[in-house]
Amino acid sequence: GAGSNSQQLGSEGVTHHIQITGNLFMDIKRASFSFMSDPGDSTYDYIFENNIVNNTTGSAISTGSGIRGTGNSYIRNNTFTDLGDPNSPNVNGLQLTFCKNLIVEDNFISVVETSVPDGNGIIIDFWNMDTNYISDKVIVRRNEITGCLASPRAAGINAFFAKRCEIYNNVTY
């Protein structure tokens, strides 16, 4: 079965208490995307779990202006395969931009393609090229990542403009 619950409040369009569970996403641009024009409009209390994402042309998950909040959000127990396109620039498997209190665990990521320069399996990143909005307190653990060979800069896991993050017990090859 599939389940999702979303709620938008106020004129800012802040999205919270989102649970995306047990879905199959195939032959699409991306499975989940959030973007607001202001980083204060970040999504929070977000759970993306037990999903299969196959054959996207972009990142499987792109957090846009962030996933933040006082409680933890999760991306866990998912399978992500054949992500990106060799003719599309700046594709990462999981593009985690301006995130805080996010736990990414027990996922399998296989084959991330891009033209240049990215191609990371998981990237912990900053918002809108602004170092005032970097990711903080992201935990990446127990993930298996393979086939991130799209560019010389590609890595299984990349912490780029991030602080106080923990990355442990992952396997990349």
Side-chain angles (χ1 to χ4, degrees):
S4 67
N5 180 14
S6 66
Q7 183 178 51
Q8 294 191 1
L9 301 173
S11 60
E12 295 85 19
V14 177
T15 305
H16 61 89
H17 294 89
I18 303 298
Q19 184 171 351
I20 303 169
T21 303
N23 298 288
L24 173 61
F25 299 93
M26 290 183 63
D27 304 317
I28 56 174
K29 182 165 185 170
R30 66 180 59 91
S32 178
F33 178 75
S34 65
F35 183 80
M36 302 297 174
S37 59
D38 185 298
D41 294 339
S42 296
T43 298
Y44 61 93
D45 293 326
Y46 174 90
I47 298 173
F48 190 95
E49 66 183 349
N50 300 318
N51 298 290
I52 298 171
V53 180
N54 180 263
N55 198 28
T56 64
T57 57
S59 300
I61 296 176
S62 181
T63 62
S65 62
I67 296 174
R68 302 183 71 78
T70 55
N72 288 330
S73 289
Y74 296 90
I75 299 172
R76 61 184 173 205
N77 301 315
N78 300 287
T79 299
F80 302 100
T81 56
D82 299 319
L83 308 174
D85 183 307
N87 299 311
S88 297
N90 307 326
V91 175
N92 295 295
L94 303 181
Q95 176 68 50
L96 307 178
T97 305
F98 190 47
C99 294
K100 185 174 183 177
N101 299 323
L102 174 64
I103 298 174
V104 181
E105 62 187 1
D106 303 315
N107 298 289
F108 176 76
I109 300 171
S110 177
V111 183
V112 178
E113 295 186 297
T114 190
S115 55
V116 288
D118 292 340
N120 301 286
I122 299 171
I123 187 168
I124 306 166
D125 211 346
F126 64 136
W127 180 76
N128 203 29
M129 305 289 286
D130 188 334
T131 56
N132 292 309
Y133 301 104
I134 65 175
S135 290
D136 183 15
K137 297 181 182 176
V138 175
I139 297 172
V140 178
R141 63 185 176 205
R142 301 186 312 263
N143 298 284
E144 182 178 351
I145 303 167
T146 183
C148 299
L149 307 171
S151 75
R153 291 178 37 183
I157 301 168
N158 186 352
F160 190 70
F161 287 98
K163 65 181 181 180
R164 298 185 293 188
C165 295
E166 298 178 36
I167 301 170
Y168 60 91
N169 295 338
N170 298 283
V171 175
T172 63
Y173 54 97

PDB file of all heavy atoms in Angstrom, residues 25-45:
ATOM      1  N   PHE A  25       8.216   4.535  -7.458  1.00  0.00           N
ATOM      2  CA  PHE A  25       8.371   5.678  -8.355  1.00  0.00           C
ATOM      3  C   PHE A  25       9.255   5.226  -9.506  1.00  0.00           C
ATOM      4  O   PHE A  25      10.399   4.855  -9.299  1.00  0.00           O
ATOM      5  CB  PHE A  25       9.046   6.849  -7.632  1.00  0.00           C
ATOM      6  CG  PHE A  25       8.300   7.370  -6.453  1.00  0.00           C
ATOM      7  CD1 PHE A  25       8.579   6.894  -5.174  1.00  0.00           C
ATOM      8  CD2 PHE A  25       7.333   8.348  -6.598  1.00  0.00           C
ATOM      9  CE1 PHE A  25       7.907   7.392  -4.068  1.00  0.00           C
ATOM     10  CE2 PHE A  25       6.648   8.850  -5.498  1.00  0.00           C
ATOM     11  CZ  PHE A  25       6.931   8.364  -4.233  1.00  0.00           C
ATOM     12  N   MET A  26       8.733   5.224 -10.740  1.00  0.00           N
ATOM     13  CA  MET A  26       9.502   4.758 -11.899  1.00  0.00           C
ATOM     14  C   MET A  26       9.348   5.717 -13.061  1.00  0.00           C
ATOM     15  O   MET A  26       8.272   6.273 -13.283  1.00  0.00           O
ATOM     16  CB  MET A  26       9.027   3.373 -12.356  1.00  0.00           C
ATOM     17  CG  MET A  26       9.373   2.254 -11.405  1.00  0.00           C
ATOM     18  SD  MET A  26       8.874   0.644 -12.042  1.00  0.00           S
ATOM     19  CE  MET A  26       9.870   0.535 -13.510  1.00  0.00           C
ATOM     20  N   ASP A  27      10.461   5.876 -13.810  1.00  0.00           N
ATOM     21  CA  ASP A  27      10.450   6.632 -15.062  1.00  0.00           C
ATOM     22  C   ASP A  27       9.885   8.038 -14.875  1.00  0.00           C
ATOM     23  O   ASP A  27       8.999   8.481 -15.613  1.00  0.00           O
ATOM     24  CB  ASP A  27       9.655   5.876 -16.136  1.00  0.00           C
ATOM     25  CG  ASP A  27      10.187   4.479 -16.364  1.00  0.00           C
ATOM     26  OD1 ASP A  27      11.413   4.301 -16.428  1.00  0.00           O
ATOM     27  OD2 ASP A  27       9.361   3.559 -16.464  1.00  0.00           O
ATOM     28  N   ILE A  28      10.417   8.757 -13.887  1.00  0.00           N
ATOM     29  CA  ILE A  28       9.975  10.119 -13.589  1.00  0.00           C
ATOM     30  C   ILE A  28      11.194  11.014 -13.405  1.00  0.00           C
ATOM     31  O   ILE A  28      12.328  10.533 -13.385  1.00  0.00           O
ATOM     32  CB  ILE A  28       9.110  10.163 -12.309  1.00  0.00           C
ATOM     33  CG1 ILE A  28       9.882   9.555 -11.131  1.00  0.00           C
ATOM     34  CG2 ILE A  28       7.794   9.439 -12.511  1.00  0.00           C
ATOM     35  CD1 ILE A  28       9.166   9.681  -9.805  1.00  0.00           C
ATOM     36  N   LYS A  29      10.967  12.310 -13.235  1.00  0.00           N
ATOM     37  CA  LYS A  29      12.095  13.216 -13.001  1.00  0.00           C
ATOM     38  C   LYS A  29      12.679  13.003 -11.612  1.00  0.00           C
ATOM     39  O   LYS A  29      13.875  12.865 -11.439  1.00  0.00           O
ATOM     40  CB  LYS A  29      11.681  14.672 -13.177  1.00  0.00           C
ATOM     41  CG  LYS A  29      12.853  15.609 -12.985  1.00  0.00           C
ATOM     42  CD  LYS A  29      12.610  16.989 -13.471  1.00  0.00           C
ATOM     43  CE  LYS A  29      13.919  17.766 -13.336  1.00  0.00           C
ATOM     44  NZ  LYS A  29      13.874  19.025 -13.987  1.00  0.00           N
ATOM     45  N   ARG A  30      11.850  13.006 -10.567  1.00  0.00           N
ATOM     46  CA  ARG A  30      12.311  12.755  -9.196  1.00  0.00           C
ATOM     47  C   ARG A  30      11.135  12.275  -8.370  1.00  0.00           C
ATOM     48  O   ARG A  30       9.984  12.516  -8.708  1.00  0.00           O
ATOM     49  CB  ARG A  30      12.952  13.992  -8.585  1.00  0.00           C
ATOM     50  CG  ARG A  30      12.025  15.142  -8.367  1.00  0.00           C
ATOM     51  CD  ARG A  30      12.710  16.350  -7.747  1.00  0.00           C
ATOM     52  NE  ARG A  30      13.805  16.888  -8.499  1.00  0.00           N
ATOM     53  CZ  ARG A  30      13.698  17.846  -9.416  1.00  0.00           C
ATOM     54  NH1 ARG A  30      12.520  18.358  -9.685  1.00  0.00           N
ATOM     55  NH2 ARG A  30      14.751  18.286 -10.048  1.00  0.00           N
ATOM     56  N   ALA A  31      11.428  11.621  -7.240  1.00  0.00           N
ATOM     57  CA  ALA A  31      10.370  11.086  -6.381  1.00  0.00           C
ATOM     58  C   ALA A  31       9.839  12.138  -5.419  1.00  0.00           C
ATOM     59  O   ALA A  31       8.652  12.177  -5.132  1.00  0.00           O
ATOM     60  CB  ALA A  31      10.878   9.881  -5.607  1.00  0.00           C
ATOM     61  N   SER A  32      10.715  12.987  -4.894  1.00  0.00           N
ATOM     62  CA  SER A  32      10.281  13.973  -3.911  1.00  0.00           C
ATOM     63  C   SER A  32      11.095  15.237  -4.084  1.00  0.00           C
ATOM     64  O   SER A  32      12.320  15.199  -4.205  1.00  0.00           O
ATOM     65  CB  SER A  32      10.474  13.423  -2.488  1.00  0.00           C
ATOM     66  OG  SER A  32      10.100  14.370  -1.521  1.00  0.00           O
ATOM     67  N   PHE A  33      10.414  16.362  -4.101  1.00  0.00           N
ATOM     68  CA  PHE A  33      11.064  17.649  -4.294  1.00  0.00           C
ATOM     69  C   PHE A  33      10.360  18.680  -3.441  1.00  0.00           C
ATOM     70  O   PHE A  33       9.137  18.735  -3.391  1.00  0.00           O
ATOM     71  CB  PHE A  33      10.974  18.059  -5.765  1.00  0.00           C
ATOM     72  CG  PHE A  33      11.581  19.395  -6.065  1.00  0.00           C
ATOM     73  CD1 PHE A  33      12.948  19.556  -6.112  1.00  0.00           C
ATOM     74  CD2 PHE A  33      10.775  20.492  -6.318  1.00  0.00           C
ATOM     75  CE1 PHE A  33      13.512  20.781  -6.397  1.00  0.00           C
ATOM     76  CE2 PHE A  33      11.325  21.728  -6.614  1.00  0.00           C
ATOM     77  CZ  PHE A  33      12.698  21.867  -6.655  1.00  0.00           C
ATOM     78  N   SER A  34      11.130  19.467  -2.740  1.00  0.00           N
ATOM     79  CA  SER A  34      10.545  20.595  -2.019  1.00  0.00           C
ATOM     80  C   SER A  34      11.358  21.828  -2.346  1.00  0.00           C
ATOM     81  O   SER A  34      12.580  21.791  -2.367  1.00  0.00           O
ATOM     82  CB  SER A  34      10.553  20.349  -0.508  1.00  0.00           C
ATOM     83  OG  SER A  34      11.878  20.277  -0.023  1.00  0.00           O
ATOM     84  N   PHE A  35      10.687  22.901  -2.662  1.00  0.00           N
ATOM     85  CA  PHE A  35      11.395  24.146  -2.920  1.00  0.00           C
ATOM     86  C   PHE A  35      10.518  25.317  -2.532  1.00  0.00           C
ATOM     87  O   PHE A  35       9.370  25.409  -2.932  1.00  0.00           O
ATOM     88  CB  PHE A  35      11.811  24.295  -4.382  1.00  0.00           C
ATOM     89  CG  PHE A  35      12.603  25.545  -4.605  1.00  0.00           C
ATOM     90  CD1 PHE A  35      13.953  25.575  -4.282  1.00  0.00           C
ATOM     91  CD2 PHE A  35      12.006  26.688  -5.080  1.00  0.00           C
ATOM     92  CE1 PHE A  35      14.697  26.730  -4.446  1.00  0.00           C
ATOM     93  CE2 PHE A  35      12.739  27.849  -5.243  1.00  0.00           C
ATOM     94  CZ  PHE A  35      14.087  27.871  -4.931  1.00  0.00           C
ATOM     95  N   MET A  36      11.066  26.185  -1.742  1.00  0.00           N
ATOM     96  CA  MET A  36      10.405  27.435  -1.386  1.00  0.00           C
ATOM     97  C   MET A  36      11.367  28.561  -1.735  1.00  0.00           C
ATOM     98  O   MET A  36      12.576  28.358  -1.832  1.00  0.00           O
ATOM     99  CB  MET A  36      10.082  27.475   0.109  1.00  0.00           C
ATOM    100  CG  MET A  36       9.196  26.343   0.587  1.00  0.00           C
ATOM    101  SD  MET A  36       7.585  26.432  -0.205  1.00  0.00           S
ATOM    102  CE  MET A  36       6.866  24.923   0.378  1.00  0.00           C
ATOM    103  N   SER A  37      10.869  29.754  -1.902  1.00  0.00           N
ATOM    104  CA  SER A  37      11.728  30.875  -2.288  1.00  0.00           C
ATOM    105  C   SER A  37      12.548  31.406  -1.126  1.00  0.00           C
ATOM    106  O   SER A  37      13.483  32.159  -1.321  1.00  0.00           O
ATOM    107  CB  SER A  37      10.874  31.998  -2.888  1.00  0.00           C
ATOM    108  OG  SER A  37       9.920  32.418  -1.934  1.00  0.00           O
ATOM    109  N   ASP A  38      12.215  31.014   0.082  1.00  0.00           N
ATOM    110  CA  ASP A  38      12.904  31.501   1.273  1.00  0.00           C
ATOM    111  C   ASP A  38      13.290  30.320   2.148  1.00  0.00           C
ATOM    112  O   ASP A  38      12.474  29.447   2.396  1.00  0.00           O
ATOM    113  CB  ASP A  38      11.948  32.430   2.037  1.00  0.00           C
ATOM    114  CG  ASP A  38      12.602  33.090   3.224  1.00  0.00           C
ATOM    115  OD1 ASP A  38      13.036  32.370   4.148  1.00  0.00           O
ATOM    116  OD2 ASP A  38      12.679  34.320   3.241  1.00  0.00           O
ATOM    117  N   PRO A  39      14.530  30.291   2.651  1.00  0.00           N
ATOM    118  CA  PRO A  39      14.929  29.142   3.471  1.00  0.00           C
ATOM    119  C   PRO A  39      14.160  29.035   4.781  1.00  0.00           C
ATOM    120  O   PRO A  39      14.160  27.987   5.407  1.00  0.00           O
ATOM    121  CB  PRO A  39      16.421  29.385   3.723  1.00  0.00           C
ATOM    122  CG  PRO A  39      16.608  30.831   3.515  1.00  0.00           C
ATOM    123  CD  PRO A  39      15.610  31.247   2.473  1.00  0.00           C
ATOM    124  N   GLY A  40      13.462  30.065   5.194  1.00  0.00           N
ATOM    125  CA  GLY A  40      12.613  29.992   6.372  1.00  0.00           C
ATOM    126  C   GLY A  40      11.380  29.143   6.144  1.00  0.00           C
ATOM    127  O   GLY A  40      10.653  28.796   7.075  1.00  0.00           O
ATOM    128  N   ASP A  41      11.114  28.785   4.886  1.00  0.00           N
ATOM    129  CA  ASP A  41       9.947  27.986   4.515  1.00  0.00           C
ATOM    130  C   ASP A  41      10.269  26.504   4.399  1.00  0.00           C
ATOM    131  O   ASP A  41       9.618  25.771   3.682  1.00  0.00           O
ATOM    132  CB  ASP A  41       9.381  28.476   3.181  1.00  0.00           C
ATOM    133  CG  ASP A  41       8.810  29.871   3.259  1.00  0.00           C
ATOM    134  OD1 ASP A  41       8.494  30.311   4.376  1.00  0.00           O
ATOM    135  OD2 ASP A  41       8.698  30.526   2.216  1.00  0.00           O
ATOM    136  N   SER A  42      11.285  26.042   5.089  1.00  0.00           N
ATOM    137  CA  SER A  42      11.731  24.657   4.970  1.00  0.00           C
ATOM    138  C   SER A  42      10.663  23.670   5.443  1.00  0.00           C
ATOM    139  O   SER A  42       9.900  23.936   6.362  1.00  0.00           O
ATOM    140  CB  SER A  42      12.994  24.441   5.801  1.00  0.00           C
ATOM    141  OG  SER A  42      14.039  25.213   5.293  1.00  0.00           O
ATOM    142  N   THR A  43      10.670  22.497   4.803  1.00  0.00           N
ATOM    143  CA  THR A  43       9.838  21.371   5.213  1.00  0.00           C
ATOM    144  C   THR A  43      10.344  20.849   6.548  1.00  0.00           C
ATOM    145  O   THR A  43      11.543  20.899   6.824  1.00  0.00           O
ATOM    146  CB  THR A  43       9.927  20.265   4.147  1.00  0.00           C
ATOM    147  OG1 THR A  43       9.415  20.782   2.921  1.00  0.00           O
ATOM    148  CG2 THR A  43       9.154  19.024   4.537  1.00  0.00           C
ATOM    149  N   TYR A  44       9.473  20.326   7.380  1.00  0.00           N
ATOM    150  CA  TYR A  44       9.908  19.676   8.618  1.00  0.00           C
ATOM    151  C   TYR A  44       8.999  18.509   8.950  1.00  0.00           C
ATOM    152  O   TYR A  44       7.920  18.371   8.390  1.00  0.00           O
ATOM    153  CB  TYR A  44      10.008  20.665   9.785  1.00  0.00           C
ATOM    154  CG  TYR A  44       8.732  21.359  10.190  1.00  0.00           C
ATOM    155  CD1 TYR A  44       7.928  20.852  11.195  1.00  0.00           C
ATOM    156  CD2 TYR A  44       8.330  22.538   9.580  1.00  0.00           C
ATOM    157  CE1 TYR A  44       6.766  21.479  11.592  1.00  0.00           C
ATOM    158  CE2 TYR A  44       7.164  23.189   9.959  1.00  0.00           C
ATOM    159  CZ  TYR A  44       6.389  22.659  10.967  1.00  0.00           C
ATOM    160  OH  TYR A  44       5.236  23.299  11.345  1.00  0.00           O
ATOM    161  N   ASP A  45       9.486  17.644   9.860  1.00  0.00           N
ATOM    162  CA  ASP A  45       8.797  16.395  10.209  1.00  0.00           C
ATOM    163  C   ASP A  45       8.461  15.605   8.936  1.00  0.00           C
ATOM    164  O   ASP A  45       7.311  15.301   8.644  1.00  0.00           O
ATOM    165  CB  ASP A  45       7.547  16.664  11.043  1.00  0.00           C
ATOM    166  CG  ASP A  45       7.887  17.208  12.407  1.00  0.00           C
ATOM    167  OD1 ASP A  45       8.925  16.810  12.961  1.00  0.00           O
ATOM    168  OD2 ASP A  45       7.123  18.042  12.918  1.00  0.00           O
TER     169      ASP A  45
END
